[in-house]
Amino acid sequence: MADVGPLLKHWRAARRLSQVALAAEAAVSLRHLSFLETGRAKPSRAMVLKLADVLDVPLRDRNTLLLSAGFAPEYAESALDAPALAAVREALEAILRQQEPYPALVMDRGWDIRRTNGAARRFFAFLHSGRTGEPPGPPNVLRRMFHPDGVRPHVTNWPEVAEALVGRVRREALGGVTDERAQGILDEVLHYPGVPATLRTLDVTGPQLPIVPIRYARDGLRFAFFSTVTTLGTPQDVTLQELRIECFHPMDGETRENVRRHVSETTAR
């Protein structure tokens, strides 16, 4: 495991702070901060947590900083089905139900799909009906969008959506939020058949559109959605901080009507 000094320097660079700025925000001397980054001084547990808080380091990576400094981790990583998270599961289910009759899902840091509402299950079953192939591995947003056996054949503006997804993963990676698994899945999907090689070198430093619609078509029916992403406020558990709730909202009356008539709960019965 890397020493804590280079990791602190990495996070400072990721947040685009100078040593002077970080020292001022953390109320520590510039000399001491410099010594911590170069390994000439060893931080206390309280100092590691203080700097991590100022740098807005994700909880998983705060544990890594503590371990690198020789301390035990601070934050638990609970299984989502653990008894201690029962209230959280109820809250997630309430959000998913509230989104009906439109799709919603819960994904983790690696973009694996952990929960869906009934609308999402019905909608993606509608898109996949009559086909036998499946993307590899557990249900995953990136694999589902990029694999030829996923939803890609039904996304009419797929190049635009693919570019937005790659940009989203890469921007998170630049901030240090993603982990090696998410980056590994991105590298995997960018080599699927039919994925343009230009996406592998996509420049994500420019301005981004605030909303990227996703447009589906199947059997003459068209659906246009935009999505919003929600996170849980001030979590003290690694698992909870890494959850993302993505809700899909109709962009037009045609989508609302097609959902109601062809993929709603009443239609599925």
Side-chain angles (χ1 to χ4, degrees):
M1 181 173 289
D3 292 335
V4 68
L7 289 177
L8 289 171
K9 184 176 181 179
H10 160 78
W11 280 103
R12 179 174 60 77
R15 299 307 187 221
R16 299 182 180 181
L17 289 176
S18 65
Q19 282 190 340
V20 173
L22 177 57
E25 287 195 38
V28 300
S29 74
L30 178 60
R31 176 186 175 90
H32 185 50
L33 178 60
S34 177
F35 279 15
L36 293 178
E37 288 190 358
T38 59
R40 295 178 64 183
K42 177 180 171 59
S44 66
R45 182 184 183 87
M47 178 60 69
V48 172
L49 291 172
K50 183 177 186 179
L51 292 174
D53 188 55
V54 173
L55 291 168
D56 193 25
V57 177
L59 302 186
R60 179 184 297 275
D61 300 287
R62 295 189 193 200
N63 282 344
T64 299
L65 286 171
L66 287 166
L67 287 168
S68 298
F71 302 110
E74 176 80 4
Y75 303 96
E77 182 176 1
S78 306
L80 190 53
D81 59 357
L85 299 189
V88 173
R89 291 193 301 276
E90 291 178 6
L92 292 175
E93 292 298 331
I95 294 171
L96 294 177
R97 286 194 304 271
Q98 182 66 29
Q99 186 59 20
E100 296 280 355
Y102 306 111
L105 56 87
V106 179
M107 59 186 168
D108 61 21
R109 180 170 173 157
W111 296 73
D112 279 348
I113 299 172
R114 306 294 298 275
R115 294 281 195 282
T116 63
N117 66 356
R121 292 189 291 273
R122 292 189 298 272
F123 182 69
F124 292 113
F126 165 76
L127 293 180
H128 198 264
S129 61
R131 300 166 56 200
T132 57
E134 292 278 357
N140 181 279
V141 171
L142 297 178
R143 287 175 172 144
R144 177 178 284 180
M145 182 57 63
F146 284 84
H147 197 276
D149 291 329
V151 300
R152 189 174 98 189
H154 302 293
V155 181
T156 59
N157 64 331
W158 185 84
E160 180 184 21
V161 174
E163 184 173 314
L165 271 176
V166 171
R168 181 172 159 186
V169 176
R170 291 242 169 93
R171 285 192 301 277
E172 289 179 352
L174 289 174
V177 176
T178 197
D179 60 10
E180 292 182 1
R181 182 173 177 277
Q183 187 60 50
I185 292 174
L186 179 61
D187 293 340
E188 172 193 322
V189 303
L190 290 179
H191 288 83
Y192 285 161
V195 176
T198 52
L199 288 177
R200 301 172 200 165
T201 56
L202 181 68
D203 180 10
V204 300
T205 59
Q208 306 294 319
L209 293 175
I211 293 177
V212 177
I214 180 167
R215 305 182 188 277
Y216 297 95
R218 176 75 198 263
D219 297 340
L221 301 174
R222 295 182 300 178
F223 306 83
F225 296 102
F226 72 92
S227 69
T228 56
V229 177
T230 303
T231 58
L232 300 174
T234 60
Q236 294 298 303
D237 185 282
V238 173
T239 299
L240 300 187
Q241 187 184 60
E242 295 175 356
L243 292 179
R244 303 290 183 268
I245 308 159
E246 187 150 15
C247 296
F248 293 83
H249 309 274
M251 296 189 68
D252 52 41
E254 181 181 21
T255 298
R256 286 188 286 271
E257 179 66 10
N258 284 338
V259 167
R260 185 186 69 81
R261 293 185 60 188
H262 299 281
V263 291
S264 68
E265 185 174 3
T266 54
T267 302
R269 287 175 179 173

